[in-house]
Amino acid sequence: MPFDLSSRLAERRAAHLYRQRPLLESPQGVRVVVDGQPLLAFCNNDYLGLASHPAVIEAFAEGARQWGVGGGASHLVVGHSSPHHALEEALAEFTGRPRALLLSSGYMANLGTVTALVGQGDTVLEDRLNHASLLDAGLLSGARFSRYLHNDIESLGSRLAKAEGNTLVVTDGVFSMDGDLAELPALCAKAREHGAWVMVDDAHGFGCLGRNGGGIVEHFGLNVDQVPVLIGTLGKAFGTAGAFVAGSEELIESLIQFARPYIYTTSQPPAVACATLRSLQLLQGEHWRRERLAQLIAQFRLGVSALGLNLMDSPTPIQPILVGSSERALGLSAALRRRGILVTAIRPPTVPRGTARLRVTLSALHSEDDVNQLLEALQQALRELPEGE
Ligand SMILES: *Cc1c(COP(=O)(O)O)cnc(C)c1O
């Protein structure tokens, strides 16, 4: 029997690493129905509350009426339609870069970009806590691949000194499971010393960071020379779907020529681009959503430290509570759920061994009262499951 799947599954279960998919029976939001149970949710990435915004829904519906449903072909054949093109122009303007390229998902944007830029004889250096799609992309590229210590510029520097060929330094902007920010100004300076390019995947920064929601590069005031390759995803704060790469004319033309996950796939439904054009306006213009998030983040951090819990160093809506063992993280998540609150336990291999956590995420649609409810439920869950048990 070459494929012994049942013992593989049993092992995963025994290690408290078995994954199950909660069934969402309502639209995405802060109040959801999951597996038949109404819950107050603190775990989606819809940070600004745009996924179910009436104006975004209307733009999507109108887009479908005008453009139909399917993209119908790849971009290079005849699937590149006016809404896709208009969204690319809007995203280029939003990011202050000469051009942007729209792709169907962040995973594909990362895979396509890294593999188009580096290959055999080149070097790709990644933060060890980078998103799985970036790590996969680095491995698949065929370039020499090395991971430096998290946000450690010295560790990066020693690898840069040994790098060969074209060298790409790749980092999350906001780290997806920790919520902290890449030390971009120092990282970009170090990369420049060695003639390397920097690629930032700011999936969780766009919409949340920067005065206009321009993400980590707006937050730090970095331009296209310092960060030549900028990735954003549209399924998080934008509330829709897809991803983009923003950069120079030559970068985007190179991706159109060489990025296989861009070339060999059907374009996203044009109506999704119509919806994103609308959500981009809301994301940029409605500053109150970022202000509300800042208030909720401050309230949550104050409350959690009063409970003596281990918060991570995060200024973003990703506010994980470090727990340690997978078993205890699952226990706390279940105890919260019995109290009507949904928070996901994140376990290895998504995070390093021994660092299982409750990944709390906040949304501009949460109220102060919602956060109080979460804090109260956390306090009760801790009493039920004291440390060390
Ligand atoms: C979610 C995420 C992606 C993947 O984006 P999708 O559009 O969901 O495929 C890539 N990078 C980071 C850092 C992410 O958090």
Side-chain angles (χ1 to χ4, degrees):
M1 269 288 282
F3 290 99
D4 187 2
L5 297 183
S6 62
S7 48
R8 227 175 130 195
L9 291 171
E11 266 168 41
R12 195 165 172 95
R13 206 183 281 276
H16 304 284
L17 296 178
Y18 206 80
R19 312 298 175 103
Q20 270 159 323
R21 302 171 302 169
L23 183 63
L24 180 65
E25 295 163 331
S26 65
Q28 194 57 268
V30 301
R31 277 174 191 74
V32 294
V33 178
V34 170
D35 298 321
Q37 192 188 4
L39 292 164
L40 175 59
F42 291 90
C43 51
N44 67 40
N45 301 316
D46 180 24
Y47 305 119
L48 298 181
L50 298 177
S52 302
H53 190 290
V56 178
I57 294 171
E58 185 47 38
F60 186 50
E62 182 50 36
R65 275 191 289 272
Q66 195 173 342
W67 299 96
V69 177
S74 66
H75 283 274
L76 297 191
V77 177
V78 67
H80 185 66
S81 62
S82 303
H84 299 132
H85 202 71
L87 178 56
E88 288 183 344
E89 289 177 344
L91 289 167
E93 195 186 337
F94 172 54
T95 55
R97 281 147 187 266
R99 277 187 74 183
L101 185 74
L102 178 66
L103 292 99
S104 294
S105 79
Y107 196 106
M108 290 166 67
N110 286 338
L111 218 57
T113 304
V114 173
T115 57
L117 291 178
V118 290
Q120 240 175 23
D122 297 324
T123 304
V124 58
L125 302 175
E126 302 207 19
D127 189 292
R128 64 185 294 268
L129 296 189
N130 273 357
H131 189 263
S133 58
L134 292 172
L135 300 172
D136 292 357
L139 288 167
L140 194 71
S141 70
R144 284 164 168 246
F145 174 75
S146 172
R147 299 200 284 175
Y148 56 89
L149 297 176
H150 177 51
N151 249 340
D152 187 324
I153 305 303
E154 244 178 76
S155 168
L156 169 63
S158 70
R159 284 165 175 75
L160 278 167
K162 290 180 262 171
E164 288 172 10
N166 289 327
T167 303
L168 191 63
V169 177
V170 182
T171 183
D172 279 21
V174 172
F175 287 88
S176 55
M177 295 300 137
D178 296 59
D180 59 334
L181 309 189
E183 309 267 359
L184 276 193
L187 185 146
C188 293
K190 181 58 76 179
R192 173 165 282 212
E193 266 174 43
H194 294 269
W197 266 20
V198 174
M199 167 170 161
V200 175
D201 171 3
D202 204 18
H204 300 273
F206 277 109
C208 299
L209 296 175
R211 197 186 123 64
N212 303 302
I216 194 163
V217 293
E218 185 184 3
H219 174 82
F220 283 125
L222 297 168
N223 62 29
V224 66
D225 295 325
Q226 290 154 308
V227 179
V229 188
L230 180 60
I231 309 283
T233 69
L234 303 171
K236 281 141 190 172
F238 282 85
T240 60
F244 63 89
V245 185
S248 69
E249 182 73 30
E250 280 185 347
L251 172 70
I252 301 306
E253 279 303 314
S254 300
L255 295 179
I256 293 172
Q257 308 307 317
F258 304 117
R260 295 168 64 88
Y262 177 73
I263 298 166
Y264 297 106
T265 200
T266 300
S267 64
Q268 71 167 204
V272 176
C274 296
T276 306
L277 275 163
R278 189 72 186 90
S279 84
L280 172 61
Q281 291 172 339
L282 296 167
L283 176 147
Q284 280 186 278
E286 295 197 342
H287 297 283
W288 69 263
R289 293 176 191 272
R290 279 179 284 284
E291 286 155 17
R292 164 69 63 75
L293 273 175
Q295 290 160 359
L296 296 170
I297 292 165
Q299 181 197 352
F300 177 76
R301 291 186 68 85
L302 201 65
V304 168
S305 42
L307 294 177
L309 285 168
N310 224 337
L311 263 181
M312 305 186 76
D313 179 25
S314 163
T316 68
I318 302 169
Q319 290 292 328
I321 299 171
L322 193 59
V323 172
S325 83
S326 297
E327 192 176 3
R328 184 167 157 78
L330 286 175
L332 286 170
S333 172
L336 289 174
R337 187 149 169 178
R338 286 194 290 277
R339 289 169 175 80
I341 295 206
L342 187 65
V343 176
T344 319
I346 303 282
R347 295 162 283 163
T350 307
V351 292
R353 215 177 264 268
T355 71
R357 63 202 65 181
L358 293 174
R359 182 173 180 268
V360 172
T361 57
L362 298 165
S363 157
L365 296 186
H366 283 124
S367 66
E368 195 180 326
D369 193 51
D370 291 337
V371 172
N372 283 333
Q373 249 178 278
L374 169 61
L375 291 168
E376 186 129 326
L378 268 172
Q379 187 166 26
Q380 292 167 357
L382 287 169
R383 262 193 235 124
E384 203 175 299
L385 290 167
E387 187 112 43
E389 287 195 6

